[in-house]
Amino acid sequence: LDSLAALLRDNDNIILACSALKFEYRERLRRFIQIEKKIVFIHLVVPEEVLLSRLQSREGHYFPPSLLQNQLITLEERQSGEEICEIDNTLPLETVLERIRSFL
């Protein structure tokens, strides 16, 4: 997280991908950015069975399907006042990208 936070702090208009499953992780990233900068979190919402199917269809991926349940348990929903864009990631890719762009 510190490496990602440094990238956020030192660059303008940057897009990074990480899980940031817990509120404390998102807060840690927020603390590193300057006041005039904005950080946006996008939560790609996918039903568990779809996630599992996607993971099982990947070959040679670093994230084994056996870890999915733990990740879902660890995921903390948005806290009061926390700005997070939730997008249905079962929609077509172009639709998902359009929604992300509109939120930025």
Side-chain angles (χ1 to χ4, degrees), residues 83-100:
E83 186 177 4
I84 296 179
C85 175
E86 293 185 345
I87 298 175
D88 179 353
N89 200 31
T90 62
L91 296 170
L93 177 60
E94 194 54 44
T95 303
V96 171
L97 293 174
E98 286 173 17
R99 292 187 180 183
I100 291 171

Side-chain angles (χ1 to χ4, degrees), residues 41-95:
F41 290 97
I42 307 290
H43 179 187
L44 299 174
V45 180
V46 184
E48 182 177 350
E49 60 275 3
V50 174
L51 285 172
L52 183 59
S53 174
R54 289 177 180 179
L55 286 171
Q56 290 172 334
S57 68
R58 294 178 180 175
E59 293 182 24
H61 196 269
Y62 73 95
F63 188 90
S66 61
L67 293 178
L68 176 59
Q69 191 60 40
N70 184 55
Q71 292 287 290
L72 294 174
I73 290 169
T74 303
L75 176 63
E76 294 178 0
E77 297 297 323
R78 124 181 54 189
Q79 302 292 310
S80 177
E82 189 177 22
E83 186 177 4
I84 296 179
C85 175
E86 293 185 345
I87 298 175
D88 179 353
N89 200 31
T90 62
L91 296 170
L93 177 60
E94 194 54 44
T95 303

Side-chain angles (χ1 to χ4, degrees), residues 4 8 10 13 16 19 21 25 27-28 33 37 40-41 51 57 59 70-71 80 83 85 87 93-94 97 99 102-103:
L4 293 177
L8 288 169
D10 298 338
N13 300 320
L16 302 173
S19 59
L21 297 173
Y25 301 161
E27 280 299 294
R28 189 167 163 187
I33 65 170
K37 289 186 179 182
V40 175
F41 290 97
L51 285 172
S57 68
E59 293 182 24
N70 184 55
Q71 292 287 290
S80 177
E83 186 177 4
C85 175
I87 298 175
L93 177 60
E94 194 54 44
L97 293 174
R99 292 187 180 183
S102 72
F103 190 74

